[in-house]
Amino acid sequence: MLYYIYIGNDHTIINHLSKVTDGMFMAVPSCNKATKVIDGIRERYNTSILYEQNNAEEDCRNISFLHKRFPRVYIILITKLLQDRDRRLYLQAGVNNTLPPEANESSIRQMTRFLKTRKESKLQEFSLYHRKSLNEFRLPLWKRLFDIFFAAGVLIALSPLLIATVIAIRMESRGRIIYKSQRVGSNYRIFNFLKFRSMYANADKHLKELNSLNQYKMEEEAADEKPDIRFEDLVGSEEEEATLLISDDFVISEEDFLKKKSQEKQNAFVKIENDPRVTRVGRFIRKYSIDELPQLINVLNGDMSIVGNRPLPLYEAELLTSDDYVERFMAPSGLTGLWQVEKRGGAGKMSAEERKQLDIKYARNFSFWMDMKILLRTATAFVQKENV
């Protein structure tokens, strides 16, 4: 899912680009308001800024600020004609590309393909860089054999449930049955993480039905002052996957974000109940964790283990690259793990730091008997009481 944040006031250009761009399009009138929107987007490589050209000196000052604040965001200058004397100024400020206001769908599709290729390249760059700095973790033979037999056995035993789920998803809505997202597992290796799809195929369009994300309402309600919340201050968590999501990406309304941030110093994300994009089947399979069952295929492929540390989205993994937390990735990534069974269903009572320390504890001490204890505790905590 791509995000386009348009900065400017030309409603003719806004209306045109909102129709031809393929993704979530939002328009704000100022750089500071765009900053607040981007602070709520968790997947920065999916985000592009469309900056409407005005005064070169002021533009470059704003673009330089955005580029330093969000180095992973792709910045596109919307301009009819760029003078040679200004070209270098915009390039030095951080502009990555230019686009005419009347850009057609073909141009946008070409840019979209480039942005997707760029994202894949950045992900691989991230993975390779951190893997080179580690002594590679190797899964013990006993654990790999257990994973294969256990995953194959569960898939066979639950095949009627899996078939019924596939049929139910297909009957209720169009779209792919299996949804893939990229996760970071052992040794910072990135792989396709599998789930049953629980949202409508055009889930992104339903976002516009939510007032907090309406592009024009956002213009009216956003405050003018410089934001004091930085993405680097945030720590994502497993339970957040049940909140407002597009794939693994997340956009939160500014009002709710600031309110929650003032109440809680960690994990400042708001749960939005009754998300209209979640299907009826999706609510059921989420509640009983049936949507997680395709990850048994990940286990057979060797991407994951049955028991281990939960593989993380890139935005979370990037926050855990320091020496204090790198040990977390020197262990199997798994379907269930130590912190999940400590307080499953009430994980909000456990701080982010506690979860990290439990992951590190597992990395240091995992064994066959420890895995068996975690599996037994998972079985008793499998059905979540909370309707997410």
Side-chain angles (χ1 to χ4, degrees):
M1 175 68 177
L2 296 176
Y3 298 94
Y4 295 98
I5 314 302
Y6 184 92
I7 303 176
N9 297 290
D10 191 321
H11 287 279
T12 301
I13 301 176
I14 291 172
N15 290 333
H16 172 68
L17 292 180
S18 67
K19 294 176 182 177
V20 297
T21 49
D22 182 18
M24 183 65 191
F25 184 96
M26 288 174 280
V28 292
S30 70
C31 174
N32 284 337
K33 292 176 182 178
T35 303
K36 296 177 183 181
V37 174
I38 300 172
D39 271 328
I41 299 177
R42 304 200 296 189
E43 190 62 76
R44 300 299 170 80
Y45 290 128
N46 282 347
T47 305
S48 298
I49 293 174
L50 305 173
Y51 193 97
E52 181 184 306
Q53 183 187 25
N54 290 294
N55 177 273
E57 184 177 348
E58 182 181 356
D59 289 347
C60 290
R61 187 165 54 249
N62 290 335
I63 291 170
S64 180
F65 166 76
L66 290 167
H67 178 65
K68 291 177 181 177
R69 179 72 177 268
F70 308 112
R72 290 174 286 157
V73 170
Y74 196 73
I75 301 178
I76 303 165
L77 182 68
I78 305 300
T79 176
K80 292 182 178 179
L81 179 64
L82 189 60
Q83 301 293 334
D84 290 339
R85 58 186 172 83
D86 293 333
R87 192 179 303 275
R88 179 177 296 180
L89 293 176
Y90 280 108
L91 184 63
Q92 290 175 342
V95 169
N96 301 108
N97 204 348
T98 61
L99 198 68
E102 66 280 1
N104 56 33
E105 292 187 25
S106 176
S107 299
I108 297 298
R109 281 197 298 269
Q110 185 177 356
M111 184 181 69
T112 299
R113 286 194 295 269
F114 168 77
L115 292 175
K116 290 180 178 178
T117 302
R118 173 181 176 268
K119 175 188 175 183
E120 294 299 323
S121 175
K122 293 292 185 181
L123 292 179
Q124 293 304 318
E125 181 181 312
F126 168 83
S127 178
L128 291 173
Y129 174 80
H130 290 289
R131 286 164 66 182
K132 287 179 181 178
S133 64
L134 297 174
N135 294 320
E136 186 173 358
F137 167 78
R138 295 186 180 277
L139 193 69
L141 180 60
W142 66 263
K143 193 167 180 61
R144 180 60 183 148
L145 290 175
F146 175 80
D147 290 340
I148 293 173
F149 286 110
F150 187 92
V154 173
L155 282 172
I156 293 172
L158 296 183
S159 56
L161 175 62
L162 296 173
I163 294 171
T165 303
V166 168
I167 295 173
I169 293 173
R170 174 60 68 199
M171 289 182 64
E172 184 174 15
S173 62
R174 296 179 179 179
R176 296 180 179 179
I177 301 297
I178 299 294
Y179 141 71
K180 299 177 182 179
S181 65
Q182 291 184 310
R183 293 293 182 94
V184 182
S186 303
N187 301 309
Y188 287 96
R189 190 174 68 85
I190 298 173
F191 65 93
N192 287 326
F193 181 82
L194 306 179
K195 280 189 175 184
F196 278 127
R197 178 173 58 82
S198 59
M199 288 187 174
Y200 290 102
N202 61 342
D204 57 302
K205 294 182 175 60
H206 288 273
L207 279 176
K208 297 180 181 179
E209 299 172 5
L210 305 177
N211 289 334
S212 61
L213 296 179
N214 181 280
Q215 64 187 36
Y216 299 110
K217 186 176 181 65
M218 187 176 294
E219 290 181 7
E220 299 170 357
E221 295 184 348
D224 289 325
E225 64 274 10
K226 185 177 180 179
D228 59 358
I229 297 176
R230 295 180 62 84
F231 176 79
E232 289 76 11
D233 296 333
L234 309 179
V235 180
S237 61
E238 174 64 17
E239 68 269 23
E240 288 165 9
E241 291 187 5
T243 62
L244 183 60
L245 288 169
I246 301 175
S247 297
D248 271 356
D249 301 333
F250 181 81
V251 178
I252 187 171
S253 71
E254 175 188 348
E255 179 182 358
D256 287 342
F257 186 89
L258 293 175
K259 181 179 178 181
K260 190 69 175 177
K261 184 71 176 179
S262 66
Q263 295 173 348
E264 299 180 7
K265 299 299 182 182
Q266 298 186 34
N267 301 322
F269 290 94
V270 176
K271 179 175 293 183
I272 297 181
E273 297 179 353
N274 301 317
D275 188 336
R277 296 164 301 132
V278 180
T279 65
R280 287 177 297 175
V281 173
R283 293 187 188 281
F284 180 84
I285 63 177
R286 281 186 177 191
K287 181 177 180 180
Y288 296 104
S289 300
I290 297 171
D291 61 326
E292 307 282 353
L293 291 178
Q295 289 153 41
L296 291 167
I297 299 174
N298 284 127
V299 174
L300 291 177
N301 288 339
D303 300 323
M304 298 171 60
S305 187
I306 297 295
V307 181
N309 295 331
R310 195 68 170 162
L312 300 179
L314 181 67
Y315 69 88
E316 290 189 33
E318 284 184 315
L319 298 176
L320 301 177
T321 56
S322 65
D323 292 342
D324 293 334
Y325 303 115
V326 70
E327 194 174 357
R328 180 213 185 273
F329 295 92
M330 298 297 292
S333 57
L335 291 174
T336 185
L338 190 56
W339 78 257
Q340 285 91 341
V341 300
E342 286 293 327
K343 294 183 180 179
R344 179 74 185 263
K349 299 176 184 178
M350 183 184 295
S351 71
E353 184 61 29
E354 286 176 318
R355 289 193 292 272
K356 295 171 191 173
Q357 293 305 320
L358 284 173
D359 283 345
I360 293 172
K361 178 181 177 181
Y362 178 80
R364 292 174 177 172
N365 303 307
F366 76 88
S367 65
F368 177 79
W369 294 114
M370 186 179 189
D371 282 9
M372 294 304 102
K373 289 178 182 179
I374 291 174
L375 273 177
L376 289 174
R377 293 177 66 183
T378 300
T380 60
F382 188 76
V383 178
Q384 300 181 50
K385 294 180 180 179
E386 186 178 4
N387 185 6
V388 295

